[in-house]
């Protein structure tokens, strides 16, 4: 649309391929038809004060111009923005997207149209793209300069300090003074310069993306954020100002808000000549009249404000664009104006579906350029361990055909060769994480496709990206390179919380190593060589899971013990308690695994091919070792004490707390540390399940049946003794894990409190439905939002004691699907679940918790108490310098609560207990949707997640895939898989195929994964398991 021949677009200047799609359209839609005819030139002033000229046909509707601007900027979330221009009466109006441009802009040569923010969402975390937040930050900067965003001096100075940080980087007094002298952000800026510099000093290390995020966080709390005042008078003739926001219509006197009419209260909006009318819904508690009337300067002013109100209501409150009214046959009454474009919900859904490609952008005023997907070659020292090559020409052709019709993304090589010389990668945003390469499965998949299209030598090196992925529904797979020091787990933020400073490179050497690709002939030969009976595969499962268990024990006995010995942070009594109980377990299970593997070698004929019969069984090995294991029960009983003493030590020593946090950052600690301490108890249940399957398979006459049945009796006795203790410990561990994930709670872990369910629900408030994270315990219900701290913790908004609470469905009352009203003794809230099934789970568990609370002694203790006195050991300067910069709790293994938040799922305590039982390890072949070859990987399923290794000998996983929200199916004929024992995992547009080696292993993987992809209610849990001390 713009002058693409003479003037390069923003994307082409940065080396991106031209995009034929219009970014504001739904995925798969075609751009609007451009009417033929004479072209007119329209000058557009961007938010960075540059001007661009676009040629559009005279009869083209406003949407064509708007889409051209968004396409020029490579802006995905363009629906938040609008085009504003002065009409023939010099009144600023918005460009109507449905009317022809020429009918609105009468003299285009003399008019400059402004591209500005039109819809300000209640929470800037809803803006998925870094470019969108950057443009919003420019709008805030512009509003400050024009005096539209008014606030006190402290807030003004703080806002400007973040702008300065994004433009020149870290504080330097000389540079700051020069910069502030050359750039005037507000009138009379000189009086605030010292305060601006004082605030700027505190932003050390903050990237431009983080500065934008913090700027918007401060701005959104200001009363005048996103407000455009429209002068009016009330019925008494008092001068006031009207404004419209995402919440409804606001009334100001000067710059002070004196009233607000929420959209939920407004029944109808209309205008008659100069009178603007608001018809309210009847409310017995309100003193307002049924219809409010305001007088504006003219009919045009009145109609213009009415249009803006209609658009805001539709954008923020409707699920989809309103359909046009049918044209009247004879005559019409009223305006035919309607909102045109996607609603906010549609925009969020579109970005969450991943129907776009991330592209680069340049910060015009910043010396530190932030680029969404800028890639660079890794440093020399990492090239060898990360080198690999991709498929052949056939693969490239297949991928190329699959990509037709989609928006194109600049390849990593093209970006590196054609990017503007003025664009240098930010040292903060473009760095590796501790020298390691990190990625996500979706990025890895897309990068693999791109590289297969470019069959050339340069493709043998991986590349790193300049910023976090903005995946709207959780980065699926965090992948670390084989070399380099320990790397932190990536933040899961789909909203790109810029608190996380890690980069997100594109490629893992593990998951794309061609040496891992196995041909079908190789697999067939291998399959024919080994036994095929079910008992063999049950025995093999015992071996593969024992390997994983031994590795988990080594996390404590080797890695943790080694780290503890180097730091003087743990008392000797605690050291002895932990390691004296884990070392005997590790020694015993090392021998146990060796015996199982030797038996499998005989069974397979690898060790002695002529031996048959007696060695094709496993029950005798299991019986012998389970009987020996009973002597270790004394160590298993100590796990209760270990967990409690470690938590007490962390509570009383900040040094130990920081040490444990730092240890959890290591790649080998792929789960929370406390989970490894509970692994021996989990393993007992695995032995019990294995023996149950073996006894069920064998007929009573089988040679191995008697030993198998005896082993089952022995392990069942051990499980029965320790099961109650394990459930209490699991609850204890979960409460402490949640305590780390929540802000605003001091006494979450108290005697008698038990976790029941956590999950994402929408809470109805004055701003409409807002996503909240709920935590249900046996005495209280917490609701939180995703925090904006560097740790990405959940911030507590409120709590409802369950004592005296009632619950009722209220879909009809509020007109919201899957809606519940929770009425407490002092407060009531309305919540909505994402599906009917989710609502049923919550209803069932909340009602059960209410019944339990009623049977208890009385109301729960006050939860949100003040912080207790800090009795932790002081942290010395040397301790601080030994920790990674910015080390906070978000660097721990990714909490399952984050997965629930981003996938809109919930999880019960029973699900967690089931997950502990449903653990599995083994080799699988993996295939992407558009790839040809199958890749062999060692896969560990635990904690609702699949962890991927190159082999079972690796000490740490190189990738992980959280499965909550995923669907598990078998491929259809149309998918052309044509292989046995294949299952399919898919979540929205992400599809992965996995292939097992036998019918038994296929069924086992289906069984355990199904347990992670479907949650259960607590009531159903009680019918299967004993209650955990309720």
């Amino acid at each position: 649309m713009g002058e693409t021949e003479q003037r390069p677009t923003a994307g082409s200047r940065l080396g991106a391929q031209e995009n034929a799609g219009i970014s504001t359209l739904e995925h798969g839609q075609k751009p609007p038809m451009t009417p033929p005819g004479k072209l007119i030139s329209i000058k557009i002033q961007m938010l960075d004060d540059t001007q661009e000229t676009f040629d559009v046909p005279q009869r083209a509707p406003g949407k064509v111009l708007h889409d051209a601007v968004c396409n020029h900027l490579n802006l995905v979330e363009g629906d938040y923005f609008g085009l504003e221009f002065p009409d023939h009466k010099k009144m600023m109006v918005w460009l109507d997207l449905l009317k022809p441009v020429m009918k609105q802009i009468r003299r285009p040569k003399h008019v400059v149209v402004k591209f500005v923010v039109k819809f300000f969402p209640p929470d800037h975390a809803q803006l998925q793209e870094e470019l969108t937040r950057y443009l919003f930050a420019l709008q805030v900067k512009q509003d400050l300069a024009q005096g539209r965003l008014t606030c006190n001096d402290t807030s003004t100075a703080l806002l400007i300090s973040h702008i300065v940080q994004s433009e020149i980087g870290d504080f330097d007094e000389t540079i700051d003074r020069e910069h502030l002298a050359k750039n005037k952000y507000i009138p009379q800026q000189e009086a605030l310069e010292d305060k601006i510099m004082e605030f700027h000093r505190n932003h050390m290390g903050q990237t431009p993306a983080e500065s934008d995020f913090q700027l918007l966080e401060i701005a959104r709390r200001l009363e005048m954020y996103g407000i455009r005042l429209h002068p009016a008078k009330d019925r008494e003739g008092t001068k006031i100002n009207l404004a419209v926001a995402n919440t409804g219509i606001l009334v100001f006197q000067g710059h002070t808000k004196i009233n607000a009419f929420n959209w939920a209260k407004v029944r109808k909006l209309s205008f008659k000549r100069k009178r603007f009318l608001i018809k309210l819904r009847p409310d017995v508690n309100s003193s307002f009249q049924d219809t409010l009337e305001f007088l504006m300067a003219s009919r045009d002013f009145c109609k213009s404000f009415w249009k803006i109100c209609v658009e805001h209501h539709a954008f923020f409150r409707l699920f989809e664009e309103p359909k046009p009214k049918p044209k009247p046959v004879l005559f019409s009454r009223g305006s035919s104006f309607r909102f045109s474009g996607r609603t906010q919900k549609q925009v969020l859904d579109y970005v969450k579906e991943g129907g776009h490609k991330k592209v680069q952008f340049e910060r015009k005023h910043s010396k530190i350029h932030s680029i969404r997907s800028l890639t660079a070659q890794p440093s020399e020292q990492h090239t060898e361990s990360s080198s690999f090559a991709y498929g052949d020409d056939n693969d490239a052709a297949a991928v190329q055909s699959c990509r037709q019709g989609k928006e194109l993304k600049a390849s990593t090589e093209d970006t590196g060769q054609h990017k503007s010389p003025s664009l240098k990668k930010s040292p903060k945003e473009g760095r590796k994480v501790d020298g390691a390469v990190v990625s996500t499965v979706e990025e890895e998949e897309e990068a693999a496709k791109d590289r297969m299209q470019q069959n050339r030598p340069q493709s043998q090196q991986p590349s790193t990206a300049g910023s976090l992925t903005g995946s709207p529904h959780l980065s699926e797979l965090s992948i670390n390179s084989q070399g380099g020091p320990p790397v932190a787990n990536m933040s899961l933020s789909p909203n790109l919380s810029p608190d996380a400073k890690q980069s997100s490179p594109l490629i893992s050497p593990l998951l794309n190593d061609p040496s891992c690709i196995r041909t079908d002939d190789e697999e067939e030969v291998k399959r024919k060589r080994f036994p095929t009976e079910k008992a063999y595969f049950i025995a093999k499962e015992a071996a593969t899971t024992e390997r994983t268990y031994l590795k988990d024990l080594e996390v404590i006995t080797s890695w943790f013990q080694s780290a503890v010995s180097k730091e003087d942070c743990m008392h000797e009594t605690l050291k002895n308690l932990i390691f004296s109980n884990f070392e005997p377990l590790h020694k015993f299970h090392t021998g146990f695994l060796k015996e199982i593997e030797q038996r499998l070698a005989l069974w397979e004929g690898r060790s002695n091919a002529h031996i048959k019969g007696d060695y094709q069984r496993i029950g005798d090995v299991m019986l012998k070792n389970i009987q020996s294991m009973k002597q270790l029960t004394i160590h298993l009983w100590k796990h209760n004490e270990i967990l409690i003493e470690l938590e007490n030590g962390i509570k009383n020593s900040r040094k130990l707390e920081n040490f444990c946090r730092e240890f959890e950052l290591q790649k080998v600690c792929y789960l929370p540390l406390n989970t490894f301490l509970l692994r021996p108890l989990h393993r007992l249940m695995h032995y019990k399940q294995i023996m149950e399957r073996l006894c069920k398979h064998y007929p009573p006459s089988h040679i191995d049946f008697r030993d198998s049945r005896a082993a089952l009796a022995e392990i069942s006795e051990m499980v029965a003794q320790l099961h109650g203790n394990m459930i209490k410990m699991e609850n204890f561990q979960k409460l402490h894990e949640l305590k780390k994930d929540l802000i605003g709670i001091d006494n979450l872990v108290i005697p008698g409190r038990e976790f029941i369910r956590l999950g994402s629900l929408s809470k109805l408030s004055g701003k409409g439905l807002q996503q909240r994270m709920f935590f249900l315990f046996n005495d209280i219900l917490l609701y939180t939002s995703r925090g904006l701290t560097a740790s990405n913790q959940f911030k507590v908004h409120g709590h409802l004691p369950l004592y005296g609470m009632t619950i009722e469905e209220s879909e009809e009352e509020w007109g919201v699907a899957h809606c519940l009203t929770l009425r407490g003794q002092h407060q009531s809230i309305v919540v909505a679940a994402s599906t009917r099934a989710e609502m049923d789970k919550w209803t069932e568990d909340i009602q059960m918790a209410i019944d339990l609370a009623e049977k208890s002694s009385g109301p729960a203790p006050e939860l949100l108490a003040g912080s207790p006195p800090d009795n932790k050991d002081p942290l010395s300067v040397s301790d601080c310098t030994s920790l990674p910069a910015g080390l906070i709790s978000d660097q721990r293994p990714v909490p399952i609560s984050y997965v629930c938040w981003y996938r809109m799922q919930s999880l019960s305590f029973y699900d967690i207990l089931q997950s502990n039982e449903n653990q599995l390890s083994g080799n699988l072949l993996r295939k992407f949707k558009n790839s040809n070859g199958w890749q062999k990987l060692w896969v560990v399923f635990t904690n609702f997640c699949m962890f991927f290794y190159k082999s079972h000998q690796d000490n740490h996983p190189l990738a992980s895939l959280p499965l909550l929200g995923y669907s598990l199916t078998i491929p259809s004929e149309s998918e052309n898989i044509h292989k046995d024992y294949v299952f399919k995992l898919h979540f929205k547009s992400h599809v992965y195929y996995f292939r097992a080696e036998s019918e038994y292993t296929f069924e086992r993987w289906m069984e355990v994964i199904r347990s992670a992809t479907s949650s259960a209610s607590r009531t159903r849990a009680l019918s299967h398991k004993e209650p955990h001390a309720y």
Side-chain angles (χ1 to χ4, degrees):
M1 296 301 174
E3 296 179 347
T4 52
E5 296 297 329
Q6 296 83 8
R7 189 189 307 274
T9 65
S12 63
R13 284 201 305 270
L14 299 173
Q17 300 179 27
E18 287 299 318
N19 187 351
I22 301 299
S23 61
T24 56
L25 292 175
E26 292 291 345
H27 186 55
Q29 281 186 325
K30 295 180 179 179
M33 294 297 294
T34 303
K38 184 180 177 182
L39 298 179
I40 56 172
S41 296
I42 307 291
K43 285 179 284 189
I44 306 291
Q45 182 170 320
M46 303 296 182
L47 280 163
D48 60 1
D49 296 328
T50 60
Q51 280 194 11
E52 301 284 349
T53 303
F54 293 85
D55 293 336
V56 296
Q58 281 184 333
R59 290 184 290 168
K63 183 172 177 57
V64 171
L65 180 59
H66 182 270
D67 287 346
V69 177
C70 294
N71 196 39
H72 173 81
L73 294 171
N74 289 313
L75 181 60
V76 176
E77 298 170 300
D79 303 80
Y80 289 102
F81 301 83
L83 297 171
E84 190 182 42
F85 66 95
D87 66 1
H88 62 285
K89 295 182 179 179
K90 304 300 180 185
M91 181 176 71
M92 297 301 291
V93 295
W94 294 103
L95 186 74
D96 191 325
L97 300 185
L98 296 179
K99 288 185 178 181
V101 174
M102 198 60 187
K103 285 191 175 183
Q104 301 179 72
I105 306 175
R106 302 293 176 82
R107 303 175 66 190
K109 289 184 180 180
H110 305 285
V111 172
V112 176
V113 179
K114 294 182 178 181
F115 181 77
V116 293
V117 178
K118 186 174 185 179
F119 302 110
F120 291 80
D123 185 358
H124 59 279
Q126 294 174 340
L127 305 175
Q128 311 286 336
E129 289 279 293
E130 183 185 333
L131 171 59
T132 313
R133 286 190 293 275
Y134 168 60
L135 295 177
F136 267 72
L138 291 180
Q139 183 68 64
V140 170
K141 177 182 173 182
Q142 193 177 99
D143 290 348
L144 272 174
Q146 295 174 358
R148 186 178 286 161
L149 181 59
T150 57
C151 53
N152 59 42
D153 288 350
T154 302
S155 297
T156 302
L158 187 57
L159 288 169
I160 295 174
S161 70
H162 283 294
I163 296 173
V164 172
Q165 174 71 21
S166 71
E167 292 184 353
I168 66 173
D170 290 341
F171 174 80
D172 182 287
E173 186 170 354
T174 305
I175 297 175
D176 272 36
R177 291 199 182 278
E178 291 178 359
H179 185 77
L180 290 172
K182 293 177 183 177
N183 298 272
K184 297 298 178 185
Y185 297 103
I186 56 169
Q188 292 83 45
Q189 179 176 289
E190 294 77 11
L192 292 179
E193 284 188 1
D194 289 339
K195 190 172 284 190
I196 294 169
M197 293 169 63
E198 181 184 343
F199 284 128
H200 186 203
R201 191 190 304 271
N202 299 327
H203 304 330
M204 295 291 286
Q206 195 168 276
T207 64
E210 291 174 304
S211 298
D212 291 345
F213 197 85
Q214 297 299 332
L215 175 74
L216 295 176
E217 170 61 15
I218 299 162
R220 79 180 181 92
R221 300 177 185 275
L222 300 176
E223 198 165 65
M224 295 301 295
Y225 174 64
I227 297 300
R228 297 195 174 205
L229 299 177
H230 298 259
K233 292 180 182 179
D234 62 13
R235 283 187 173 179
E236 285 73 35
T238 305
K239 289 185 178 180
I240 57 168
N241 289 303
L242 297 179
V244 63
N246 56 79
T247 56
I249 298 172
L250 312 177
V251 183
F252 287 81
Q253 202 156 37
H255 287 82
T256 304
K257 185 169 70 173
I258 60 174
N259 216 334
F261 303 103
N262 194 287
W263 292 126
K265 298 178 182 178
V266 177
R267 183 178 175 186
K268 183 179 180 181
L269 294 174
S270 60
F271 71 96
K272 190 174 183 179
R273 298 186 180 88
K274 296 193 294 184
R275 289 181 297 152
F276 181 73
L277 306 173
I278 306 175
K279 191 168 186 179
L280 301 176
R281 298 184 186 277
D283 187 353
V284 293
N285 298 321
S286 175
S287 59
F288 292 119
Q289 303 171 13
D290 178 53
T291 302
L292 300 174
E293 183 178 308
F294 299 94
L295 193 66
M296 306 194 81
S298 68
R299 181 185 180 278
D300 289 345
F301 272 106
C302 196
K303 184 176 182 179
S304 175
F305 181 65
W306 173 79
K307 284 183 175 181
I308 297 170
C309 293
V310 170
E311 290 180 314
H312 272 74
H313 177 268
F315 184 77
F316 289 109
R317 297 282 287 185
L318 300 185
F319 287 164
E320 58 185 20
E321 178 183 354
K323 296 179 181 178
K325 297 178 182 178
K327 292 185 178 181
V329 179
L330 298 176
F331 57 88
S332 63
R333 292 185 61 187
S335 173
S336 62
F337 175 78
R338 66 178 177 89
F339 170 75
S340 173
R342 293 184 299 195
T343 65
Q344 187 189 31
K345 183 182 185 302
Q346 288 176 310
V347 176
L348 292 173
D349 289 345
Y350 171 71
V351 183
K352 284 182 179 180
E353 289 289 345
H356 65 284
K357 301 288 183 183
K358 292 176 177 58
V359 292
Q360 312 162 10
F361 74 93
E362 177 184 3
R363 295 171 180 268
K364 178 176 180 290
H365 299 286
S366 178
K367 297 177 182 178
I368 306 172
H369 297 287
S370 177
I371 301 176
R372 280 184 286 186
S373 297
L374 181 62
T375 58
Q377 296 295 342
S379 55
E380 290 287 332
Q381 63 263 33
H382 298 293
T383 303
E384 184 177 352
S385 65
S386 298
S387 62
F388 56 91
Y390 287 113
D392 53 20
D393 294 332
N394 294 332
D395 289 334
V399 172
Q400 181 66 33
S401 65
C402 291
R403 290 171 57 87
Q404 289 180 359
K406 298 182 180 179
E407 293 185 0
L408 299 176
K409 181 174 78 172
S411 67
T412 51
E413 286 79 16
D414 289 343
T415 306
Q417 295 172 4
H418 299 110
K419 65 185 179 186
S420 169
S422 65
L423 287 177
K424 295 181 180 179
K425 189 169 72 169
S426 163
K428 291 184 177 61
E429 292 189 288
R431 68 172 184 262
K432 296 189 184 115
V433 187
D434 296 332
V437 180
V438 184
S439 182
T440 64
V441 138
E442 289 82 358
E443 290 175 324
E444 172 227 343
E445 181 178 350
E446 294 298 333
K449 297 176 192 174
D450 287 344
R451 286 182 176 271
M452 282 193 293
Q453 293 179 50
Q454 306 169 37
N455 189 20
R456 54 192 187 192
Q458 290 96 319
S459 66
Q460 294 187 354
Q461 293 186 353
S463 55
T464 57
S467 68
L468 273 171
T469 176
S471 172
H473 49 262
L474 179 66
S475 300
E476 312 297 345
L477 220 103
S478 299
I479 302 171
N480 306 334
S481 74
Q482 295 174 336
V487 62
N489 283 344
M490 297 293 290
S491 167
L492 292 177
S493 169
N495 298 322
L496 187 67
S497 170
D499 312 81
K501 299 179 183 178
Q502 299 98 326
S503 59
S504 66
L506 296 177
I507 291 300
S508 161
L510 162 78
L511 298 184
N512 295 280
D513 188 349
S515 65
C516 293
I517 306 293
R518 301 188 66 88
T519 65
D520 296 330
D521 292 339
E522 289 175 8
E523 286 303 312
E524 289 302 321
V525 170
K526 180 177 179 293
R527 186 173 293 140
K528 290 175 182 177
R529 196 178 354 160
F530 290 117
T532 56
E533 60 265 36
K534 185 176 180 178
Y536 164 77
F537 290 110
I538 295 175
K540 191 171 183 180
E541 180 186 335
T544 56
T545 52
E546 190 73 10
R547 287 173 186 164
T548 299
Y549 173 54
L550 201 59
K551 285 289 184 183
D552 288 348
L553 288 178
E554 288 173 1
V555 172
I556 301 297
T557 60
S558 178
W559 297 90
F560 188 60
Q561 186 172 14
S562 175
V564 167
S565 64
K566 297 175 184 176
E567 298 284 343
D568 183 21
C569 60
M570 186 182 290
H571 293 296
E572 286 298 324
T573 53
L574 183 55
K575 284 184 189 178
N576 293 334
L577 179 64
I578 296 174
F579 303 121
S580 65
N581 283 287
F582 268 85
E583 285 173 350
L585 293 174
H586 180 264
K587 182 179 179 180
F588 171 80
H589 285 281
T590 301
F592 190 2
L593 175 61
K594 188 176 181 181
E595 286 190 44
I596 298 176
E597 289 181 332
Q598 286 174 346
R599 177 57 57 88
L600 282 176
L602 291 171
W603 201 330
E604 294 167 356
R606 286 183 285 129
S607 212
N608 199 334
H610 69 274
I611 297 177
K612 296 287 181 181
D614 287 348
Y615 292 100
Q616 292 186 346
R617 57 180 179 148
I618 196 67
D620 57 332
V621 175
M622 298 298 292
L623 176 60
K624 172 193 168 187
N625 283 277
I626 288 173
Q627 288 174 336
S628 301
M629 201 187 304
K630 296 185 79 171
Q631 301 173 12
L632 301 174
T633 306
I634 186 173
H635 299 295
L636 299 178
W637 279 108
K638 287 283 186 179
H639 283 62
N640 186 338
E641 186 181 350
I642 290 173
L643 205 56
I644 293 173
E645 289 301 318
L646 180 60
E647 287 297 339
N648 287 337
I650 289 172
K651 181 179 179 181
N652 296 317
S653 171
R654 183 176 291 136
K655 190 173 182 180
L656 179 58
E657 179 186 15
N658 287 330
F659 168 78
C660 290
R661 283 181 179 176
E662 187 176 6
F663 180 76
E664 286 187 326
L665 299 184
Q666 297 190 31
K667 290 183 286 186
V668 71
C669 191
Y670 66 100
L671 296 170
L673 179 60
N674 284 347
T675 303
F676 290 104
L677 297 177
L678 293 175
R679 273 294 188 249
L681 298 176
H682 299 162
R683 186 59 181 158
L684 295 180
M685 295 185 295
H686 304 161
Y687 293 140
K688 182 172 179 282
Q689 288 183 341
I690 288 170
M691 299 317 300
E692 284 174 345
R693 281 192 289 274
L694 207 55
C695 290
K696 187 177 180 180
H697 167 67
Y698 284 142
S701 58
H702 195 279
I703 188 174
D704 203 24
F705 179 75
R706 179 175 295 181
D707 287 340
S708 298
R709 188 171 60 178
L712 176 59
E714 296 278 2
I715 194 65
S716 297
E717 182 183 348
M718 292 180 66
V719 169
Q721 292 174 357
L722 292 164
H723 189 61
N725 188 51
M726 189 209 70
I727 292 178
K728 291 178 183 178
M729 286 300 93
E730 199 66 50
N731 179 67
F732 180 81
Q733 187 268 340
K734 192 62 187 177
L735 289 177
H736 278 279
E737 182 182 328
L738 293 177
K739 181 182 175 183
K740 297 173 185 176
D741 295 339
L742 298 174
I743 301 173
I745 296 178
D746 293 326
N747 57 339
L748 180 67
V749 185
I750 61 173
R753 175 164 290 149
E754 290 153 5
F755 166 71
I756 297 178
R757 180 175 288 276
L758 63 82
S760 177
L761 295 171
S762 296
K763 179 177 174 289
L764 189 63
S765 67
K767 297 179 179 179
L769 286 173
Q770 292 188 309
Q771 187 180 2
R772 293 285 179 260
M773 192 72 180
F774 281 75
F775 299 85
L776 176 65
F777 303 92
N778 63 332
D779 60 342
I780 205 159
L781 177 67
L782 289 178
Y783 56 94
T784 69
S785 66
R786 179 174 157 272
L788 297 169
T789 64
S791 60
N792 276 332
Q793 293 164 295
F794 290 99
K795 182 179 179 181
V796 175
H797 281 251
H799 65 283
L800 280 79
L802 299 181
Y803 186 81
M805 178 187 285
T806 60
I807 180 173
E808 60 187 48
E809 293 188 23
S810 50
E811 294 186 5
E812 294 183 2
E813 180 181 354
W814 297 101
V816 177
H818 321 308
C819 182
L820 297 171
T821 299
L822 307 177
R823 302 188 190 279
Q825 291 184 332
H826 306 291
Q827 181 188 1
S828 297
I829 62 172
V830 180
V831 298
S834 57
T835 64
R836 182 75 194 185
E838 280 292 307
M839 186 186 80
D840 290 342
K841 293 173 192 173
W842 278 103
T843 303
E844 211 170 327
D845 284 353
I846 292 174
Q847 187 59 60
M848 179 211 61
I850 292 172
D851 295 340
L852 291 172
E854 293 292 339
K855 295 175 184 177
S856 66
S857 56
E862 183 63 28
L863 187 68
L864 303 178
S867 297
D870 188 0
N871 60 349
K872 296 184 180 179
D873 300 335
L875 188 65
S876 65
V877 174
S878 61
D879 294 328
C880 293
T881 55
S882 68
L883 297 175
L887 177 63
I888 315 181
S889 61
D890 70 318
Q891 305 285 350
R892 296 179 296 109
V894 174
I896 198 67
S897 54
Y898 290 1
V899 184
C900 291
W901 170 267
Y902 296 120
R903 299 266 176 85
M904 296 291 288
Q905 297 289 314
S906 71
L907 203 63
S908 69
F909 184 73
Y910 175 63
D911 295 325
I912 295 170
L913 295 180
Q914 285 291 93
S915 173
N916 294 335
E917 296 181 18
N918 291 319
Q919 297 180 20
L920 195 59
S921 308
N923 286 312
L924 286 175
L925 298 177
R926 188 209 60 183
K927 177 184 180 299
F928 290 133
K929 180 169 60 175
N930 295 321
S931 63
N932 290 330
W934 291 86
Q935 191 172 10
K936 186 177 181 180
L937 299 170
W938 176 261
V939 183
V940 174
F941 171 79
T942 183
N943 205 35
F944 307 96
C945 192
M946 294 175 79
F947 295 92
F948 300 92
Y949 301 73
K950 191 169 185 178
S951 77
H952 68 84
Q953 297 172 333
D954 291 352
N955 290 321
H956 57 81
L958 287 96
S960 62
L961 180 66
L963 294 183
L964 282 179
Y966 265 76
S967 296
L968 175 67
T969 58
I970 297 174
S972 63
E973 287 291 329
S974 60
E975 293 173 86
N976 296 321
I977 298 298
H978 306 310
K979 300 293 180 185
D980 294 330
Y981 317 131
V982 176
F983 60 91
K984 171 184 172 184
L985 282 169
H986 57 101
F987 179 75
K988 297 188 176 178
S989 60
H990 308 290
V991 179
Y992 312 104
Y993 300 99
F994 294 94
R995 185 175 162 200
E997 63 178 342
S998 69
E999 183 180 1
Y1000 171 79
T1001 51
F1002 167 77
E1003 290 173 351
R1004 284 290 292 135
W1005 279 106
M1006 291 283 285
E1007 179 185 348
V1008 298
I1009 292 175
R1010 190 176 288 114
S1011 71
T1013 55
S1014 58
S1015 174
S1017 69
R1018 176 62 188 165
T1019 303
R1020 289 190 289 276
L1022 293 177
S1023 66
H1024 293 85
K1025 297 290 174 184
E1026 61 182 75
H1028 71 292
Y1030 281 159

